[in-house]
Amino acid sequence: MSPGPCDPRTDSYYGRPVVKAPSWAPRDIAGYFFLGGLAGAGSVLAAGAQLTGRTTTAHAMKISSLAAVGLSAAALVHDLGRPSRFPHMLRVFKPTSPMSMGSWLLAAYGPAAGAAAAAAVTGRLPRTGAAATAAAALLGPALATYTAVLAADTAVPAWHGAHRELPYLFAASATAAASGMALVTGPLGENAPARYAAVLAAVADDTAVRAAERRLGSVAVTYRDGRAGKLMRAARALTAAGAAGAVLLGHRSRTAAAGAGLALLAGSACTRFGVFHAGIASAQDPAHTVGPQREALRRRTAHSQ
């Protein structure tokens, strides 16, 4: 039986994927995306808390950022298969390679976050701790978003097609996670910046997702259906609920603040895992590779006439 005109098998050789889906393990790499964002944005909040005299929150965020970057590095090494492979990635410094730059970024950020946390816990070398805090805060935004550039640099349709919006989405998601951690670990009297950041993150997250779906066109279905769709809907609900709880109740009740923070953390994790699974689904369906290419060809042809 020959395939019909609308059969997806007409888009590739016997319906096989046109591009190979990444062999990354979801738990390792999506977890790496989430934890790196939490660490990077957390360092920015820690520096801000330190500057404004919110010392309890600053200390908690420095410790959580160190823990997050440690776990993210462990997830990356686990996916690589052998610990020795990570140092091998540092043998090359290639500014045009997101993988190379990300490896160097992680290698630079980790010691800075460690020194900042050590100074906060021990109370020793305050000047060194302040310098490390500033360094981690400067590197934090890049750590939180470079994984979006790394994903968009692939041929995976759902990632590459949203290469302009994905860094903004990851930045918003990371801010939501860091705000959530600050709400969970910080006292009520110090959580005002975290509450405001949570609202901004929720709005930016939703805006970035909608913009990405508009740009992706037919490929956006990968963000709405299947496992990715469930995760993205859960992310939207959890992030919105966390932001609402933070701004309405987060200054009144320690329990409400912690609950809002946990919702924001869970929403951020769902976003990262949802984006990951959307990419895998788009790579496995040849229609998501061939369809956008044909549409782009039609637009170029119409424009030239």
Side-chain angles (χ1 to χ4, degrees), residues 68-162:
V69 76
L71 290 172
S72 69
L76 177 61
V77 169
H78 185 266
D79 187 74
L80 291 173
R82 291 200 305 268
S84 62
R85 289 179 176 172
F86 181 76
H88 289 169
M89 296 167 69
L90 300 177
R91 294 186 300 178
V92 177
F93 185 83
K94 189 177 181 181
T96 58
S97 169
M99 179 67 75
S100 175
M101 298 310 297
S103 301
W104 280 100
L105 177 61
L106 188 61
Y109 173 86
V121 171
T122 63
R124 297 179 179 179
L125 302 175
R127 292 184 179 179
T128 301
T133 298
L138 289 173
L139 295 171
L143 181 69
T145 57
Y146 101 87
T147 47
V149 180
L150 175 65
D153 195 49
T154 67
V156 175
W159 297 341
H160 185 72

Side-chain angles (χ1 to χ4, degrees), residues 227-257:
R227 181 178 297 180
K230 293 179 181 178
L231 286 166
M232 295 302 288
R233 286 190 292 273
R236 184 171 293 178
L238 286 166
T239 302
V247 73
L248 295 176
L249 301 172
H251 61 296
R252 298 178 180 177
S253 165
R254 187 73 187 82
T255 301

